[in-house]
Amino acid sequence: MRYLPLTDADRAEMLDKIGVDSVDALFEDVPEKARLDGTVDLPRHKSEMEVERQLTRLSRKNISASEAPFFVGAGAYKHHIPSSVDHLIQRSEYLTSYTPYQPEISQGTLQTLFEFQTQVALLTGMEVANASMYDGSTACGEAVLMACRITKRSKAILSGNLHPHYAAATHTLAKYMDIEIKDDAAKPGGLDDIAADIPDDVACVVVQNPDVFGQVHDLEPIAKAAHEKGALLIAVFTEAVSLGLMKTPGAMGADIVVGEGQSIGVGLQFGGPHVGLFACRNDRNYIRNLPGRLAGETVDADGRRGYVLTLSTREQHIRRDKATSNICTNSGLMTLAWTIHMSLLGDTGLRTMAQLSHEKACELADRLSAISGVELVTDAFFNEFTLRLPKNAADVVEALAEKGVLGGVPASRLYPGKGYDDLLIVAATETNTDSDLDAFEAALKEVL
Amino acid sequence: MSTRFTKDHEWIRVEGEEGVMGITAYAAEQLGDVVFVELPEVGKTVSQGDELAVVESVKAASEVYAPVSGEVVAVNEALEGEPAKVNESPDAEGWFVKIKLSDKSQLDAMMDEAAYAEHTK
Amino acid sequence: MAMNTQGRPSAPLHTPDPGAYDDTFSGSRGLDQAEPLIFERQTYDKSGVDFEAPKGKPSRLGALERTDDLGLPGLSEPEAMRHYVRLSRKNYAIDIGLYPLGSCTMKHNPRLNEKMARLPGFSDVHPLQPQSTVQGAYELIGELAHWLMTLTNMPTVAMSPKAGAHGELCGMMAIRAALDARGESHRRRVLVPESAHGTNPATAVQCGFFCDEIPAGPDGRVDMEAFKGKLGDDVAAIMLTNPNTCGLFERDIRAIADAIHEAGGYFYCDGANFNAISGRVRPGDLGVDAMHFNLHKTYSTPHGGGGPGSGPTVLSAALAKFAPLPFVIKDGDSWRMVEDEADAKAQGAEPFGRMVAFHGQMGMFTRAMSYMLSHGADGLKQASEDAVLNANYILARLKDVMTQSYDGLCMHEALFDDRFLKDTGVSTLDFAKAMIDEGYHPMTMYFPLVVHGAMLIEPTESESKASLDRFCDTLEALALAAKAGETERFTAAPRYAPTKRLDETRAARQPVLRWTPASADTKAAE
């Protein structure tokens, strides 16, 4: 057993010191009926070689994004991640430490969290950010709960073009909290008229930008309409790279900004772990209602600058049933990956990466919508757009996969039974080459 | 009238119909450095024993209860910027709330200074 | 003899008074490098990532293109490497030394796990790819689910919760859904021992429940009389950690399960301490209705400076059908993800909802699977036994110099309190900070709340006997030093860490939560 340092001689000596005859004696409090005689019915231990063989065999049953022309998005995007990111996050000091409860020997984690919070605030155009949530969808749900605490109201309106999984996660989180949630109707290529009819007792309106179909929106009129009714605007994004090119939600008047950070540093990971970004105004009422951890600056006994976890009385380990959220462990290592990648990019690199993603998407949209019977539904978009196909999009995606092209997400997979069978959501990024675009165009022509 | 105390370490000093209240020096000492005080809104009506405020140190948050029933007529807004006043001057500048009492007889059952000193021994 | 100038002795000729030079000119101290924030470099004109040049085509963003800069500094690769490597050296970690945080299970993180999780077929796969292209990923989820169900003897496991607290939410929401389905929505009271983790009451409240605390008995376990007295037809559930946060197995667990069931409630078990019994005791045999795993504790996925976690949650037959969307099923020869309600209903399920955008922490599933396959049924059992043995060895070695909170043996963690520090002027906090100077991460302090000045030590199975002996020798020496009046050693600690004690009061009173150019200017002016 390569992971267990004790020898049988050690065990015997230790039992002797403890003053018992056998290990069984240490389990004497377990009800007799529940003590297993042997082992559970699972295979015995394996060598590294055997485990590696078994798992590699499984992994080969999947087609990875780098093996095929890849255009799948709808909440997770394939971007280039510099090699140094993965090297750094595997350093023992980051990988095998825990939540920085002892700040004197956790300054590495705490300073990177402080840098992360600052970068998230800058990226979103907001004043402050927390130290991360699980992912974008849970951040969205937590933002709605926070808006209800801030406004002391208990109604929320979700845009119909919010990623349906985000809407569902938000419904679940609010389900038993006496919060009433209204879902507007989806409108591919447009936006439900959420600003037109905001009642006086609404805590927040939640709008995704770019939306789930890829369409981009000016949030300013929505922010204005919400604020007139005393409601907050929660702006959501699933593609963090879009902020490399677009006006920030902060500049458009958002009060809370949440989103998925996976595009930067984290990768696809088959859906997790990802990293939820959470930013808001620098207002006492906001900050005291934030969910999750916060790193803050202070000084040590010698007056030297250092960082600590702060404002912890919001959190479950102190406030228990009155905490702002039950979240404990967040996405620590993913925030580090995010922060390293963002530090490598800087303004310059982020803008270029966003520009390339946008250009590839524009070119692809033009080429695909030129195919007979294919129509571009979204007229203003960043790196993701929606096509109306002359056939069932789910069947088309399967047929494309058989031709070795991973060609997007059928809208019906996100909105089952809503009549979107002919809509295909397609994403492009800087990782797509000209030959990827050629392959997609050729395959789609053949399939249609 | 002299100061009255609760077993939960609140004090109240009544002049006329109004009482000013806060937490005792003993409680402030036990809490450590106070970093935040959450105060009620003026106009709120409370019953004796209701949660009135929350006082926080770095690692703890404690509810402060209404020592008497009545209406909140003023709160110590200075605590927002300077929560340290609770530690520095718990029984004067570090006051929390002024309450218009609805039942002055509630004071009779409360401790006086000597009894409270005994209580915290 | 020729003098090699590279071979000069490095021993100083005399030792200067240690107080003579308070600090270095650079702010660095040998291997401990002073490192500013990246924002303070003000490098806005460079990047550590090369791209092809954009073609400069007109944008199709409507009028939403941003014209100003965000203010994000960029670093070249060597600068970034140095910055983050320097910062990393200010962290303690399992790979550096014993990390005895109670209830956190800081065990060794095998590197095979990391290698397996990075196989492109697992890490570089999209959650919404056509299902035919991710059969291996589904199979891995199915296989891990099988191991988790077998280890617990439970019929269902919800795989999507993102961390332990998210798993608690999953279990408690399933309980709420089951009560609603029974027409007993009035059951809102949840019994929580006062020694519980803070996530338990926080979770209960998020499910619309309220908490009723059960006191601990004199033996550190649930006070059965008090518990029974609280049962009634408004009780929804009990949330119980087992082994509990005092490191003790709840001897009466069967009776507790029977009583809560008889009263019409459910039994939620917090699985944070499952490392004590994994492979040796199955919660399904104890009457548990729901229990989350912390894959980053019990099954060695890395703690990562505070996550990511992963909290698969097993559910009993009574709760199984309320498991959240999505879930993987075997459909004939292939695997399939059930993603929407209509599909779930066709499978006879009544999911309470969806908890998260995709389907859980795949990267953690791969790592946990790698760990579990490596250990096997025999190794998992041995790991639990060693974890319990190690904790009891620490207890046996230290109980005469420190004060054990509850008599008898313990499970995988040993609980001490601060009675041995009485009248020494040394607090639990001081004692913990002195451990830092000795090269150890402190134990969990001031938790559980049921004992005064708690010190909860969980060594895990990853420590050798020699390592435990060194640790016990050190703690013994510290305890004796405290009793001998060496107060300064403790109150001035840590002296050898990258920073001295940090002013947490200042951080909370005047929160500085990000860098701003203005705060930099203020500092320059000082």
Side-chain angles (χ1 to χ4, degrees), chain A residues 81-90 265 336-338 340-341 344:
Chain A
I81 300 172
S83 319
S84 51
V85 174
D86 195 43
H87 175 86
L88 283 166
I89 69 166
Q90 287 195 73
L336 178 69
W338 195 94
I340 296 169
H341 191 183
L344 285 159

Side-chain angles (χ1 to χ4, degrees), chain A residues 2 24 29 45 61-62 65-66 86 92 94 102 109 127 165 172 175 244 270 298 305 330 343-344 359, chain C residues 40 48 55-56 66 84 91 95 118 121 124-125 139 221 280 306 352 354 357 374 378 433 503 514:
Chain A
R2 60 188 179 277
D24 289 339
D29 288 337
H45 67 272
K61 293 184 182 175
N62 304 320
S66 303
D86 195 43
S92 293
Y94 289 129
Q102 298 287 344
T109 296
E127 288 157 327
H165 290 175
T172 302
K175 188 169 182 174
F270 200 55
T298 186
R305 181 171 67 178
N330 54 22
S343 305
L344 285 159
E359 285 183 359
Chain C
E40 289 159 346
K55 293 176 181 154
R66 180 165 50 76
Y84 291 103
N91 271 3
D95 288 347
R118 283 169 173 79
D124 193 24
V125 184
E139 190 176 337
R221 295 169 175 89
R280 216 176 190 286
F352 66 72
R354 171 186 276 275
S374 295
D378 51 334
K433 297 300 183 191
D503 187 347
R514 61 170 286 192

Side-chain angles (χ1 to χ4, degrees), chain A residues 375-386:
Chain A
E375 181 200 339
L376 179 62
V377 176
T378 40
D379 60 350
F381 56 87
F382 169 63
N383 71 335
E384 189 160 31
F385 54 87
T386 295

Side-chain angles (χ1 to χ4, degrees), chain A residues 300-313:
Chain A
D300 76 358
D302 290 343
R304 285 159 61 114
R305 181 171 67 178
Y307 303 89
V308 292
L309 290 179
T310 192
L311 303 179
S312 308
T313 47

Side-chain angles (χ1 to χ4, degrees), chain C residues 156-241:
Chain C
T156 299
V157 59
M159 297 297 287
S160 69
K162 300 287 252 182
H166 209 220
E168 287 180 32
L169 199 58
C170 174
M172 293 305 285
M173 282 196 166
I175 288 172
R176 179 74 198 260
L179 290 170
D180 288 353
R182 271 166 43 186
E184 296 187 44
S185 308
H186 64 279
R187 289 182 178 266
R188 293 291 180 88
R189 195 154 53 93
V190 170
L191 307 180
V192 183
E194 55 183 344
S195 63
H197 296 114
T199 48
N200 292 174
T203 299
V205 166
Q206 287 201 320
C207 298
F209 296 127
F210 67 93
C211 296
D212 191 0
E213 278 200 349
I214 316 171
D219 63 349
R221 295 169 175 89
V222 167
D223 180 332
M224 282 302 281
E225 286 315 303
F227 161 66
K228 285 186 177 158
K230 286 181 182 292
L231 291 170
D233 65 4
D234 62 337
V235 169
I238 182 171
M239 296 183 85
L240 187 64
T241 309

Side-chain angles (χ1 to χ4, degrees), chain C residues 392-470:
Chain C
N392 275 292
Y393 184 66
I394 287 179
L395 186 61
R397 282 222 36 198
L398 293 178
K399 66 182 177 189
D400 293 336
V401 284
M402 293 168 65
T403 31
Q404 178 183 4
S405 297
Y406 299 104
D407 286 343
L409 299 167
C410 65
M411 294 299 285
H412 66 305
E413 53 192 354
L415 178 62
F416 299 93
D417 55 47
D418 63 3
R419 281 173 294 165
F420 74 99
L421 295 173
K422 194 169 187 294
D423 301 328
T424 61
V426 175
S427 67
T428 289
L429 179 74
D430 300 327
F431 194 81
K433 297 300 183 191
M435 285 172 67
I436 292 177
D437 279 338
E438 301 290 339
Y440 288 107
H441 193 287
M443 66 292 264
T444 293
M445 319 175 289
Y446 299 105
F447 181 85
L449 308 174
V450 289
V451 302
H452 198 269
M455 303 179 200
L456 186 63
I457 299 179
E458 180 181 5
T460 82
E461 71 278 15
S462 305
E463 299 305 322
S464 67
K465 178 169 178 294
S467 163
L468 296 175
D469 279 328
R470 274 196 304 277

